[in-house]
Short mmCIF file of all heavy atoms in Angstrom, two decimals:
data_model
loop_
_atom_site.label_atom_id
_atom_site.label_comp_id
_atom_site.label_asym_id
_atom_site.label_seq_id
_atom_site.Cartn_x
_atom_site.Cartn_y
_atom_site.Cartn_z
N ALA A 249 4.39 17.80 5.85
CA ALA A 249 4.09 17.84 4.43
C ALA A 249 2.87 18.60 4.05
O ALA A 249 2.72 19.45 3.15
CB ALA A 249 4.14 16.52 3.86
N LEU A 250 1.85 18.41 4.95
CA LEU A 250 0.57 19.08 4.80
C LEU A 250 0.66 20.55 4.99
O LEU A 250 0.09 21.35 4.35
CB LEU A 250 -0.47 18.52 5.70
CG LEU A 250 -1.93 19.07 5.61
CD1 LEU A 250 -2.45 18.90 4.13
CD2 LEU A 250 -2.84 18.39 6.63
N VAL A 251 1.41 20.99 5.94
CA VAL A 251 1.76 22.43 6.25
C VAL A 251 2.35 22.99 4.95
O VAL A 251 1.96 24.09 4.42
CB VAL A 251 2.49 22.60 7.47
CG1 VAL A 251 3.05 24.12 7.60
CG2 VAL A 251 1.73 22.15 8.74
N ALA A 252 3.35 22.37 4.36
CA ALA A 252 4.13 22.92 3.30
C ALA A 252 3.17 22.91 2.05
O ALA A 252 3.13 23.80 1.21
CB ALA A 252 5.31 22.00 2.92
N ALA A 253 2.26 21.85 1.96
CA ALA A 253 1.32 21.81 0.81
C ALA A 253 0.25 22.92 0.98
O ALA A 253 -0.18 23.59 -0.01
CB ALA A 253 0.60 20.36 0.85
N ASP A 254 -0.21 23.17 2.13
CA ASP A 254 -1.10 24.25 2.43
C ASP A 254 -0.49 25.55 2.00
O ASP A 254 -1.18 26.44 1.40
CB ASP A 254 -1.53 24.37 3.97
CG ASP A 254 -2.53 23.27 4.30
OD1 ASP A 254 -3.20 22.61 3.30
OD2 ASP A 254 -2.68 23.03 5.46
N GLU A 255 0.78 25.84 2.35
CA GLU A 255 1.59 27.13 1.94
C GLU A 255 1.53 27.15 0.44
O GLU A 255 1.46 28.18 -0.13
CB GLU A 255 2.94 26.99 2.50
CG GLU A 255 3.01 27.11 4.03
CD GLU A 255 4.35 26.89 4.57
OE1 GLU A 255 5.41 26.77 3.76
OE2 GLU A 255 4.53 27.10 5.80
N LEU A 256 1.78 25.99 -0.21
CA LEU A 256 1.82 26.01 -1.64
C LEU A 256 0.50 26.37 -2.28
O LEU A 256 0.42 27.29 -3.24
CB LEU A 256 2.33 24.66 -2.22
CG LEU A 256 2.39 24.41 -3.64
CD1 LEU A 256 3.37 25.27 -4.42
CD2 LEU A 256 2.55 22.95 -4.09
N VAL A 257 -0.62 25.89 -1.84
CA VAL A 257 -1.94 26.23 -2.24
C VAL A 257 -2.11 27.81 -1.94
O VAL A 257 -2.72 28.48 -2.88
CB VAL A 257 -2.95 25.31 -1.62
CG1 VAL A 257 -4.41 25.88 -1.89
CG2 VAL A 257 -2.91 23.95 -2.19
N ALA A 258 -1.69 28.29 -0.80
CA ALA A 258 -1.93 29.62 -0.54
C ALA A 258 -1.19 30.54 -1.39
O ALA A 258 -1.72 31.68 -1.78
CB ALA A 258 -1.59 29.94 0.89
N GLU A 259 0.01 30.15 -1.85
CA GLU A 259 0.85 30.94 -2.73
C GLU A 259 0.36 30.77 -4.10
O GLU A 259 0.63 31.78 -4.87
CB GLU A 259 2.34 30.55 -2.64
CG GLU A 259 2.95 30.91 -1.36
CD GLU A 259 4.31 30.44 -1.14
OE1 GLU A 259 4.86 29.91 -2.20
OE2 GLU A 259 4.85 30.57 0.01
N ALA A 260 -0.13 29.78 -4.48
CA ALA A 260 -0.51 29.52 -6.03
C ALA A 260 -2.03 28.86 -6.07
O ALA A 260 -2.07 27.89 -6.55
CB ALA A 260 0.46 28.65 -6.63
N PRO A 261 -3.00 29.67 -5.62
CA PRO A 261 -4.27 29.04 -5.62
C PRO A 261 -4.87 28.98 -7.06
O PRO A 261 -5.80 28.30 -7.24
CB PRO A 261 -5.14 30.15 -4.78
CG PRO A 261 -4.32 31.46 -4.99
CD PRO A 261 -2.91 30.94 -5.03
N ASP A 262 -4.28 29.60 -8.12
CA ASP A 262 -4.74 29.48 -9.41
C ASP A 262 -3.95 28.53 -10.15
O ASP A 262 -4.03 28.50 -11.44
CB ASP A 262 -4.83 30.89 -10.00
CG ASP A 262 -3.46 31.53 -10.11
OD1 ASP A 262 -2.55 31.11 -9.41
OD2 ASP A 262 -3.22 32.41 -10.93
N ASP A 263 -3.24 27.61 -9.55
CA ASP A 263 -2.39 26.69 -10.24
C ASP A 263 -2.96 25.26 -9.78
O ASP A 263 -2.79 24.86 -8.61
CB ASP A 263 -0.93 26.74 -9.86
CG ASP A 263 -0.02 25.70 -10.76
OD1 ASP A 263 -0.58 24.81 -11.25
OD2 ASP A 263 1.25 25.94 -10.68
N TYR A 264 -3.48 24.55 -10.71
CA TYR A 264 -4.17 23.23 -10.35
C TYR A 264 -3.21 22.24 -9.66
O TYR A 264 -3.61 21.43 -8.87
CB TYR A 264 -4.81 22.63 -11.67
CG TYR A 264 -3.85 22.06 -12.50
CD1 TYR A 264 -3.59 20.67 -12.47
CD2 TYR A 264 -3.23 22.79 -13.49
CE1 TYR A 264 -2.63 20.13 -13.43
CE2 TYR A 264 -2.31 22.22 -14.43
CZ TYR A 264 -1.98 20.89 -14.38
OH TYR A 264 -1.16 20.35 -15.26
N ARG A 265 -1.88 22.35 -10.05
CA ARG A 265 -0.88 21.43 -9.60
C ARG A 265 -0.71 21.54 -8.02
O ARG A 265 -0.35 20.68 -7.31
CB ARG A 265 0.48 21.67 -10.16
CG ARG A 265 0.33 21.24 -11.65
CD ARG A 265 1.67 21.75 -12.51
NE ARG A 265 1.71 23.22 -12.40
CZ ARG A 265 2.59 23.86 -13.08
NH1 ARG A 265 3.52 23.23 -13.74
NH2 ARG A 265 2.65 25.17 -13.06
N SER A 266 -1.00 22.82 -7.51
CA SER A 266 -0.89 22.99 -6.00
C SER A 266 -1.97 22.05 -5.30
O SER A 266 -1.58 21.37 -4.33
CB SER A 266 -1.19 24.41 -5.68
OG SER A 266 -0.40 25.25 -6.17
N TYR A 267 -3.07 21.97 -5.84
CA TYR A 267 -4.13 21.16 -5.26
C TYR A 267 -3.72 19.63 -5.49
O TYR A 267 -4.03 18.77 -4.47
CB TYR A 267 -5.48 21.44 -5.81
CG TYR A 267 -5.85 22.86 -5.56
CD1 TYR A 267 -5.59 23.85 -6.49
CD2 TYR A 267 -6.40 23.21 -4.26
CE1 TYR A 267 -5.91 25.14 -6.25
CE2 TYR A 267 -6.68 24.50 -4.11
CZ TYR A 267 -6.52 25.50 -4.99
OH TYR A 267 -6.79 26.83 -4.76
N LEU A 268 -3.20 19.21 -6.55
CA LEU A 268 -2.85 17.85 -6.82
C LEU A 268 -1.71 17.51 -5.81
O LEU A 268 -1.68 16.33 -5.35
CB LEU A 268 -2.36 17.57 -8.24
CG LEU A 268 -3.52 17.72 -9.25
CD1 LEU A 268 -2.98 17.34 -10.66
CD2 LEU A 268 -4.62 16.83 -8.97
N THR A 269 -0.83 18.38 -5.43
CA THR A 269 0.26 18.09 -4.54
C THR A 269 -0.39 17.91 -3.19
O THR A 269 0.02 16.88 -2.44
CB THR A 269 1.27 19.30 -4.52
OG1 THR A 269 1.84 19.44 -5.79
CG2 THR A 269 2.33 19.09 -3.40
N ARG A 270 -1.28 18.74 -2.70
CA ARG A 270 -1.86 18.58 -1.39
C ARG A 270 -2.68 17.34 -1.38
O ARG A 270 -2.77 16.65 -0.37
CB ARG A 270 -2.65 19.81 -1.00
CG ARG A 270 -3.09 19.84 0.32
CD ARG A 270 -3.75 21.18 0.89
NE ARG A 270 -4.97 21.40 0.11
CZ ARG A 270 -5.68 22.47 0.24
NH1 ARG A 270 -5.21 23.45 1.16
NH2 ARG A 270 -6.76 22.70 -0.50
N ASN A 271 -3.41 16.96 -2.54
CA ASN A 271 -4.12 15.80 -2.62
C ASN A 271 -3.25 14.55 -2.25
O ASN A 271 -3.68 13.66 -1.55
CB ASN A 271 -4.66 15.60 -3.97
CG ASN A 271 -5.07 14.13 -4.34
OD1 ASN A 271 -4.24 13.40 -4.68
ND2 ASN A 271 -6.29 13.83 -4.17
N THR A 272 -2.03 14.56 -2.71
CA THR A 272 -1.18 13.46 -2.47
C THR A 272 -0.88 13.29 -0.96
O THR A 272 -0.83 12.20 -0.34
CB THR A 272 0.13 13.69 -3.29
OG1 THR A 272 -0.12 13.72 -4.61
CG2 THR A 272 1.19 12.53 -3.06
N VAL A 273 -0.70 14.42 -0.34
CA VAL A 273 -0.45 14.44 1.15
C VAL A 273 -1.78 13.83 1.87
O VAL A 273 -1.62 12.94 2.75
CB VAL A 273 -0.08 15.90 1.69
CG1 VAL A 273 0.09 15.68 3.21
CG2 VAL A 273 1.09 16.28 1.09
N TYR A 274 -2.90 14.24 1.40
CA TYR A 274 -4.10 13.75 1.92
C TYR A 274 -4.24 12.32 1.83
O TYR A 274 -4.73 11.55 2.65
CB TYR A 274 -5.31 14.41 1.45
CG TYR A 274 -5.51 15.90 1.98
CD1 TYR A 274 -5.85 16.92 1.25
CD2 TYR A 274 -5.50 16.09 3.36
CE1 TYR A 274 -6.15 18.17 1.74
CE2 TYR A 274 -5.78 17.32 4.03
CZ TYR A 274 -6.02 18.35 3.11
OH TYR A 274 -6.31 19.64 3.62
N LEU A 275 -3.70 11.70 0.67
CA LEU A 275 -3.83 10.27 0.42
C LEU A 275 -2.86 9.53 1.44
O LEU A 275 -3.29 8.61 1.98
CB LEU A 275 -3.45 10.00 -0.98
CG LEU A 275 -4.38 10.44 -2.02
CD1 LEU A 275 -3.85 10.09 -3.53
CD2 LEU A 275 -5.79 9.73 -1.88
N VAL A 276 -1.74 10.08 1.67
CA VAL A 276 -0.81 9.48 2.60
C VAL A 276 -1.49 9.42 3.96
O VAL A 276 -1.39 8.53 4.72
CB VAL A 276 0.53 10.27 2.60
CG1 VAL A 276 1.43 9.79 3.86
CG2 VAL A 276 1.18 10.01 1.31
N LEU A 277 -2.16 10.63 4.26
CA LEU A 277 -2.88 10.73 5.65
C LEU A 277 -4.15 9.92 5.73
O LEU A 277 -4.80 9.82 6.76
CB LEU A 277 -3.12 12.26 5.96
CG LEU A 277 -1.83 13.05 6.18
CD1 LEU A 277 -2.27 14.50 6.26
CD2 LEU A 277 -1.17 12.64 7.53
N LYS A 278 -4.57 9.26 4.58
CA LYS A 278 -5.76 8.61 4.48
C LYS A 278 -7.09 9.44 4.74
O LYS A 278 -8.07 9.02 5.21
CB LYS A 278 -5.76 7.31 5.35
CG LYS A 278 -4.72 6.38 4.89
CD LYS A 278 -4.59 5.23 5.95
CE LYS A 278 -3.58 4.24 5.69
NZ LYS A 278 -2.21 4.66 6.10
N GLU A 279 -6.94 10.73 4.32
CA GLU A 279 -8.01 11.62 4.50
C GLU A 279 -8.71 11.85 3.03
O GLU A 279 -8.42 12.75 2.35
CB GLU A 279 -7.56 13.03 5.04
CG GLU A 279 -7.06 12.93 6.52
CD GLU A 279 -6.62 14.20 6.96
OE1 GLU A 279 -6.91 15.34 6.44
OE2 GLU A 279 -5.85 14.10 8.05
N PHE A 280 -9.46 10.75 2.67
CA PHE A 280 -9.93 10.68 1.34
C PHE A 280 -10.90 11.73 0.99
O PHE A 280 -10.98 12.12 -0.22
CB PHE A 280 -10.42 9.32 1.15
CG PHE A 280 -9.43 8.21 1.31
CD1 PHE A 280 -9.65 7.38 2.44
CD2 PHE A 280 -8.28 8.07 0.49
CE1 PHE A 280 -8.60 6.31 2.62
CE2 PHE A 280 -7.35 7.15 0.80
CZ PHE A 280 -7.48 6.28 1.77
N ALA A 281 -11.81 12.22 1.88
CA ALA A 281 -12.72 13.28 1.52
C ALA A 281 -12.04 14.55 1.09
O ALA A 281 -12.38 15.27 0.18
CB ALA A 281 -13.82 13.50 2.67
N ALA A 282 -10.89 14.88 1.93
CA ALA A 282 -10.14 16.06 1.66
C ALA A 282 -9.46 15.83 0.24
O ALA A 282 -9.22 16.86 -0.43
CB ALA A 282 -9.19 16.36 2.74
N ALA A 283 -8.82 14.61 -0.02
CA ALA A 283 -8.12 14.43 -1.19
C ALA A 283 -9.13 14.55 -2.36
O ALA A 283 -8.70 15.22 -3.37
CB ALA A 283 -7.65 13.01 -1.19
N ARG A 284 -10.31 14.10 -2.28
CA ARG A 284 -11.26 14.35 -3.37
C ARG A 284 -11.59 15.74 -3.64
O ARG A 284 -11.72 16.24 -4.70
CB ARG A 284 -12.48 13.44 -3.11
CG ARG A 284 -13.53 13.57 -4.14
CD ARG A 284 -14.68 12.66 -4.24
NE ARG A 284 -15.54 12.85 -5.28
CZ ARG A 284 -15.37 12.40 -6.56
NH1 ARG A 284 -14.41 11.65 -6.86
NH2 ARG A 284 -16.38 12.63 -7.41
N ALA A 285 -11.76 16.44 -2.47
CA ALA A 285 -12.12 17.94 -2.54
C ALA A 285 -10.90 18.59 -3.37
O ALA A 285 -11.09 19.50 -4.17
CB ALA A 285 -12.27 18.54 -1.17
N ASP A 286 -9.69 18.20 -2.99
CA ASP A 286 -8.59 18.87 -3.82
C ASP A 286 -8.57 18.49 -5.29
O ASP A 286 -8.31 19.28 -6.14
CB ASP A 286 -7.25 18.49 -3.09
CG ASP A 286 -6.91 19.45 -2.07
OD1 ASP A 286 -7.59 20.55 -1.95
OD2 ASP A 286 -5.82 19.38 -1.34
N ASN A 287 -9.00 17.26 -5.60
CA ASN A 287 -9.13 16.85 -6.96
C ASN A 287 -10.20 17.75 -7.61
O ASN A 287 -9.92 18.26 -8.82
CB ASN A 287 -9.55 15.47 -7.12
CG ASN A 287 -8.48 14.44 -6.81
OD1 ASN A 287 -7.28 14.71 -6.97
ND2 ASN A 287 -8.77 13.31 -6.36
N GLU A 288 -11.30 17.93 -6.95
CA GLU A 288 -12.29 18.71 -7.56
C GLU A 288 -11.91 20.22 -7.79
O GLU A 288 -12.15 20.82 -8.89
CB GLU A 288 -13.64 18.66 -6.70
CG GLU A 288 -14.24 17.31 -6.79
CD GLU A 288 -15.29 17.14 -5.82
OE1 GLU A 288 -15.65 17.95 -4.90
OE2 GLU A 288 -15.94 15.98 -5.86
N LYS A 289 -11.20 20.72 -6.78
CA LYS A 289 -10.60 22.06 -6.87
C LYS A 289 -9.59 22.14 -8.03
O LYS A 289 -9.55 23.15 -8.81
CB LYS A 289 -10.10 22.51 -5.58
CG LYS A 289 -9.64 24.04 -5.53
CD LYS A 289 -10.72 24.97 -5.66
CE LYS A 289 -10.36 26.35 -5.56
NZ LYS A 289 -11.39 27.30 -5.71
N ALA A 290 -8.78 21.15 -8.22
CA ALA A 290 -7.73 21.15 -9.20
C ALA A 290 -8.44 21.20 -10.62
O ALA A 290 -8.06 21.94 -11.50
CB ALA A 290 -6.85 19.88 -9.11
#
Side-chain angles (χ1 to χ4, degrees):
L250 182 58
V251 170
D254 285 341
E255 291 171 2
L256 178 62
V257 168
E259 290 176 9
D262 61 341
D263 186 344
Y264 74 97
R265 296 171 295 185
S266 300
Y267 299 97
L268 294 181
T269 299
R270 190 169 65 185
N271 160 275
T272 302
V273 177
Y274 283 134
L275 290 177
V276 171
L277 292 169
K278 297 176 182 79
E279 294 181 17
F280 301 114
R284 179 164 180 84
D286 271 355
N287 285 333
E288 291 169 357
K289 186 65 176 178

